[in-house]
Structure formats: C-alpha cells, structure tokens
Amino acid sequence: MEFVPPTLVHRVLCADCGTPIQPNSANLCIPCLRNTVDVTEGIPKSASLSFCRNCDRFLSPPATWTIAQPESRELLAICLKKLKGLNRVRLVDAGFIWTEPHSKRLRVKLTIQKEVFTSTIVEQVFEVEFVVQHGQCPDCTRLAAKNTWQAVIQVRQKVPHKRTFLFLEQLILKHNAHKDTVSIKEVKDGLDFYYTQEGHAQKMAEFLASVAPVQTVRSAQLISRDTHSNTANYKFTHSVQIVPICKDDLVCIPIKQARSLSNISPLTICSRVGNSVHLLDPSTLQETDVTSQVYWREPFFSLASVTDLVEFVVLDIEPSGTVRGKHVLADAEVAPASSFASSSNSGMEMDMDSHHGSVSTTYHTRTHLGGILQPGDTVMGYWLTRSNFNSPAFESLDPSRIPDVILVKKSYPNQRKKNKQRNWKLKSMAKEAEEGAGINDSNAGYGRGALGRRGGLDQKRVEKDYELFLQSIEEDTEMRAAINLYKGKNVRTDTDMKPEKAPGSSKKQKSGSQFAMEVDNTLQADDETDGGDDPDFPDVKLDELLDDFEEMGIQDEEDA
C-alpha cells in the first residue's frame, strides 16, 4: 500500500489578533472580521406597524390594508416590507420570537449574508422589534363619518307586504353577500344598501340578479371635478326593481303573451320565484318560466295575493292520473269552510245572492294538489265566483272557461291553533329605519330590529307578514333548503320530551311562564287530542337546523 502524505495547509496570522487562520483576502479571522465590518448596517433595528382596530387589518406598504393573523406568513411579509436595506443583503431565514399578546410588540429574528470582500461572505443573526400603532384605515374613516358612501343599491318591489325582502334577507345572510355593505336603510317599498366602492355595489347587483327576477338601472351623479388632473368624483346609484309577483299569487297573462309562453292558459298561479318567475296552470299542470327580460318587455301583474286566499274543505278528490314532478292532477269537490260554521256566524253570508256564490254551495274544480289532498283536508284557494278584478286581461277571458275555485296550497288549521313554540329561529341584518317615513312618529322604526319588519303604519300587519313568512318556511321544503335555520332555545331531544311522570297522575304543574295559571295535565292532553294532529304536517326536522354561532354584524331574531 502506497503512502499518501496529507496536503499541507498553509496558515497565516490574523492581522489584528495574531490567531493562525487560513489565508483570505482580508487576512482577518471571523471575530475580527465581524468587529471590523457590520453587515446589518443600513437595516433598522426597530420599526412600527399600523393596525386598524375596527377591521383588524395591518397596513401593507405602500397603501394596502391586509388581514393578518398573529405570527402568520402574511404578517411576516408585512414586517419585512417595512425594513429598508434588505435588498442589499441575502435573507437566509426569518421568524417570530414570542411576545406577550397585549404588549403591542413584535420581535422578528433575521439571518442575513453579505459579501464584504472578494470571496468573503459573512453571515449574521440579529433581531428587529416592531411597535404596533393603532389607527384607522381609510375605509373605517369614511365609515365613521356620515354620508360618505360612493354607491347605493335601491331595491324596490311594489307589493303591499314584506315577505319578499324577508326571504331575500335570508339569502343574503347565507351567501354572506352583505360583507362589504356599509349600512342598510329601510324605506317605504324596499331597502337601500350603501357601499364605499362602486365595485362592491356591482357585485351585490349581480347577486340580486342571480336570486330574483330584477331590472337594474345604473346612474351616476357628479360630485366634484379637478380640471387640472382631469379626475372626477361620482356617486353611483343602482336602481333594482323586483318583479311584483310573489309565490302563490294568482296571475292573469294577456292572451297574446300567453300564446308566446308555450301557449299556456292565461289564468295561472305562481308556483316559485327564483331568478325567473315560474307559472303553473293548475288545470293542466303546464308550466312556463318567465325571465326578467321577457317580463319587463311586456309586464303584467297579479290579480290576487295570499292575503286573498279563502279556506275550503275537501269533500271528495279523484286523481286523474297525470303526474308532473310533485304535482298530481285531480278532480276535487270543495266547499267553503265557512259553510261548516254555526248559523249565527254565517247567517249574513247565507242570504247572499246565488249569482255571487253562496257559502253552502259545493264547487268542482281541477287541482294540482292531488298527491297531498284527502277528503276532509283543509285547503286554501281563490274564490273567483265572489271576486271582482279590475284587469283588462281577466275581462277578455271566456267566462265559461274561468273556474269557480282555484286551489293553491294545503293548510293545517289544527296545528296552527295549538300555537306551539318553534324550535328554530332566523337571523337578521342590522338596519336603520327611514326617519320620518311614518305619519305616526311615535311608532316610526318600531320593531325587533329584523330586516323588513317595519313594513307600514299598522304594526299588526307587519307581524302578520312575518308570521306568514315563517309558516311558508315550515310548509315549503324547497324554501328551507335555500336558507339557513338555526336551533332555538327550546330544542329538546327525544329523551327530554318524554315526561317522567307516572301514567294516570293528575297533579297540577305550573308552566314555564311566571304569570301562567296552573293547568291540569290530563285536561291539557285532552285539549290537544281534540284539536287533532296532521300526520303530514311538514315539521322542521332537527337535522335541518344549524348551531347558532355569534357572528359580527348579525342580530338574533326573537323566538317566533
């Protein structure tokens, strides 16, 4: 084996301390080199960060406000942008050093490298301390001042109720479409949404067009103009008009227009309203969709709304076999529910002229509810024999082809009489009532804070609209699937609902109310059985409810 001598390493003495080192261009050891040259020169050891407490955003130079969590990559990038001189060195590593959350201090550990002499690179580790300074971003500054909006969306619907806006509110909450809204103001026929940027208003207008048949008109108002820089300040207004047709409304289409809509019968009911209006002919199960462009080209209006519905009792029903989706065509025989009341209550109605229809008369009609109606059920419908409509389209129809009754939906009077407390609730957005909108100043803006709850001068009518909206949610599974329902305070499991009392016991128990009178359990049970239960009542299931989490900017509705 041949011996290989090791390579000789030539060493020289350090020019400052005399320590033997390997030769380099500076002829200095590493400690002496660090004492001679400072690679962190020009990099500040302390800096400040601007933080907005209203929106929890940091100022990212030069003028961008960014949401960043503590010790996150985004916050580290903002801290590095605040340091000048990092472009002259090589950044090897950076990280946070833990500090107290309330200290308003951020400590960052940096590792940098820099070439000081020819082929001589020095690496150094140092710390930089950042002081968090509280302030306001431009958006929050404009928000703190009044009337500093740049764009407004005026949503209107010419109907005498607020159920459309109540449903629209739930859609906005589910999709979080109100996150950029500065404020919401309720006016006579709708709502006003205010924004600080015109782009946010356009985004909201596009959302409204995707969930409702609307017509949008955009306008701009010149506020100020600089002739030297050729810049101008505008305020934009988006007027959004919703089609004045709601679910379960009776609609009469002009004959010429009905022929262009799949040759449907002119007398229809509105089965659903999405981004278009869905019309249904209950006598043939024919359906058609009316888009917003088609509607506003030749607008038509509803003859009657859900407030004009009359309660009928099904005497006999026979399905004809035609089925389209959930609708089943059937021939039904109905009678007004008032004909089954006592003679003292309906004596005045019994003397009515037979030409206008009597309460003791039975009617034969065709309905699309053959799949859910049974003899003895209660159904809501339009009593056309006793109705008078001021509509040229309705007057042009052949009287022999106009049915006496048009059935719309099944009702559950026994369940409504029990007045049970709902195990679910809704959430609402904050709003401001229009100042001076009502004649009675003492009741102006009165309500529980929910959107669309003011609705007019009569508070009872407002409460009725909200109750009808809650009932429509219970009876329509498609509507429940489109919004978020939250668990109420009275949600109980199956084990909680079982009484822990021996059968046959008749001890008196007090109800939950402080001023409620004592009620015998056995008598109360008899009253409930007398009312009767509807087995097909579309009750809201527990698995359809969401847990209630407190969110910023959202107020809880009171239990209905």
Side-chain angles (χ1 to χ4, degrees):
M1 182 177 180
E2 184 179 358
F3 173 75
V4 179
T7 305
L8 296 178
V9 179
H10 299 280
R11 293 183 179 273
V12 297
L13 297 179
C14 177
D16 288 347
C17 61
T19 304
I21 59 173
Q22 295 183 4
N24 53 49
S25 59
N27 290 330
L28 296 175
C29 62
I30 294 178
C32 295
L33 190 61
R34 289 179 177 175
N35 294 333
T36 304
V37 181
D38 185 14
V39 296
T40 63
E41 184 180 2
I43 301 176
K45 304 303 187 295
S46 62
S48 61
L49 292 177
S50 298
F51 176 71
C52 181
R53 289 185 292 183
N54 296 331
C55 57
D56 295 338
R57 295 190 297 178
F58 288 90
L59 175 59
S60 178
T64 304
W65 291 83
T66 308
I67 298 178
Q69 299 296 329
E71 299 187 2
S72 62
R73 292 185 177 181
E74 294 80 6
L75 184 57
L76 183 60
I78 295 175
C79 294
L80 296 179
K81 288 182 180 180
K82 297 287 290 186
L83 298 179
K84 297 181 180 179
L86 284 180
N87 55 350
R88 296 191 296 265
V89 297
R90 180 187 178 188
L91 182 62
V92 178
D93 190 17
F96 285 100
I97 300 177
W98 185 85
T99 55
E100 291 289 343
H102 60 277
S103 63
K104 298 182 182 179
R105 298 292 189 274
L106 296 176
R107 297 171 59 190
V108 179
K109 181 180 179 181
L110 302 177
T111 303
I112 61 174
Q113 293 179 352
K114 184 178 182 181
E115 185 178 3
V116 293
F117 299 105
T118 305
S119 302
T120 303
I121 299 176
V122 178
E123 180 177 317
Q124 189 172 349
V125 180
F126 66 102
E127 297 179 5
V128 179
E129 186 180 60
F130 294 89
V131 180
V132 180
Q133 297 179 351
H134 291 166
Q136 275 189 335
C137 63
D139 294 339
C140 295
T141 303
R142 288 192 295 266
L143 181 60
K146 295 182 179 179
N147 299 327
T148 56
W149 51 271
Q150 187 182 8
V152 60
I153 292 185
Q154 300 175 348
V155 186
R156 300 291 184 268
Q157 187 184 31
K158 304 297 183 180
V159 291
H161 59 80
K162 292 286 185 178
R163 293 190 300 274
T164 302
F165 292 99
L166 289 171
F167 181 65
L168 185 62
E169 174 194 13
Q170 300 303 320
L171 293 177
I172 293 174
L173 286 173
K174 181 176 182 179
H175 298 280
N176 197 22
H178 65 298
K179 61 179 180 179
D180 299 324
T181 305
V182 175
S183 63
I184 303 173
K185 185 178 180 181
E186 183 179 3
V187 293
K188 180 181 178 181
D189 293 325
L191 300 171
D192 290 344
F193 298 85
Y194 294 91
Y195 298 89
T196 57
Q197 298 181 14
E198 208 270 335
H200 296 162
Q202 291 182 351
K203 185 178 180 181
M204 183 64 175
E206 293 175 356
F207 171 77
L208 294 176
S210 64
V211 297
V214 298
Q215 183 186 34
T216 305
V217 178
R218 178 179 177 272
S219 61
Q221 180 184 4
L222 179 63
I223 304 300
S224 61
R225 183 176 182 180
D226 188 359
T227 57
H228 300 284
S229 59
N230 197 20
T231 58
N233 183 19
Y234 289 91
K235 279 192 174 182
F236 301 92
T237 301
H238 297 260
S239 178
V240 180
Q241 185 76 16
I242 303 179
V243 172
I245 297 177
C246 302
K247 185 176 180 295
D248 297 334
D249 284 359
L250 180 63
V251 180
C252 185
I253 312 174
I255 297 178
K256 182 179 179 181
Q257 190 173 357
R259 292 173 181 173
S260 64
L261 297 175
S262 304
N263 198 20
I264 194 172
S265 175
L267 200 59
T268 59
I269 60 175
C270 179
S271 60
R272 187 168 64 89
V273 178
N275 53 6
S276 61
V277 180
H278 300 262
L279 301 178
L280 170 67
D281 182 10
S283 60
T284 60
L285 299 186
Q286 184 180 358
E287 291 182 312
T288 185
D289 295 343
V290 182
T291 61
S292 59
Q293 294 82 3
V294 174
Y295 176 84
W296 293 112
R297 194 181 304 133
E298 296 180 1
F300 53 89
F301 303 95
S302 58
L303 294 178
S305 61
V306 292
T307 56
D308 301 322
L309 290 174
V310 181
E311 190 175 5
F312 293 90
V313 177
V314 180
L315 302 180
D316 189 16
I317 188 166
E318 182 180 355
S320 60
T322 305
V323 179
R324 288 188 180 180
K326 64 178 182 179
H327 299 147
V328 178
L329 188 62
D331 296 328
E333 182 181 0
V334 296
S338 56
S339 61
F340 297 91
S342 60
S343 59
S344 59
N345 295 335
S346 60
M348 298 180 61
E349 296 181 357
M350 294 294 290
D351 296 335
M352 189 179 306
D353 189 2
S354 60
H355 175 72
H356 296 85
S358 175
V359 294
S360 59
T361 306
T362 60
Y363 299 94
H364 296 269
T365 183
R366 307 196 78 179
T367 179
H368 62 289
L369 304 176
I372 59 176
L373 291 183
Q374 298 293 333
D377 289 347
T378 305
V379 63
M380 306 297 293
Y382 293 106
W383 198 347
L384 302 184
T385 307
R386 297 182 55 185
S387 301
N388 185 15
F389 302 111
N390 186 13
S391 173
F394 183 77
E395 295 176 358
S396 62
L397 298 179
D398 186 4
S400 61
R401 300 182 62 86
I402 299 177
D404 298 330
V405 174
I406 294 181
L407 304 182
V408 178
K409 61 180 180 178
K410 183 179 178 181
S411 63
Y412 307 89
N414 294 334
Q415 293 292 126
R416 302 303 181 194
K417 290 179 181 178
K418 292 183 179 181
N419 195 18
K420 290 185 178 180
Q421 190 176 13
R422 294 181 174 90
N423 61 346
W424 53 273
K425 61 181 180 179
L426 301 175
K427 287 190 175 182
S428 63
M429 299 180 295
K431 60 109 178 122
E432 298 176 1
E434 182 184 12
E435 297 180 1
I439 298 177
N440 189 0
D441 294 336
S442 61
N443 294 331
Y446 178 81
R448 307 181 203 174
L451 189 67
R453 294 298 304 279
R454 199 173 64 84
L457 302 178
D458 190 4
Q459 186 63 25
K460 293 183 179 180
R461 187 182 65 178
V462 179
E463 296 293 337
K464 182 179 179 181
D465 288 340
Y466 188 70
E467 179 62 26
L468 290 176
F469 173 67
L470 296 180
Q471 292 180 7
S472 61
I473 292 177
E474 290 178 336
E475 298 174 1
D476 194 347
T477 56
E478 295 181 357
M479 184 180 295
R480 292 203 302 265
I483 63 177
N484 289 337
L485 302 180
Y486 297 90
K487 297 179 181 178
K489 298 181 180 179
N490 60 332
V491 175
R492 297 183 298 175
T493 59
D494 295 339
T495 57
D496 296 336
M497 298 178 62
K498 295 180 180 179
E500 298 180 358
K501 187 177 179 181
S505 177
S506 61
K507 293 183 180 180
K508 296 181 179 180
Q509 294 183 355
K510 294 184 179 181
S511 60
S513 177
Q514 177 181 350
F515 303 100
M517 64 179 182
E518 297 179 353
V519 181
D520 194 356
N521 289 339
T522 56
L523 297 178
Q524 185 176 2
D526 294 340
D527 293 340
E528 293 181 356
T529 55
D530 291 341
D533 291 335
D534 294 319
D536 56 346
F537 181 74
D539 197 7
V540 180
K541 302 297 187 295
L542 188 60
D543 54 358
E544 300 180 23
L545 305 180
L546 302 176
D547 293 328
D548 184 14
F549 294 100
E550 295 294 334
E551 297 180 358
M552 184 177 300
I554 298 180
Q555 300 174 352
D556 289 341
E557 284 287 344
E558 293 183 6
D559 293 337

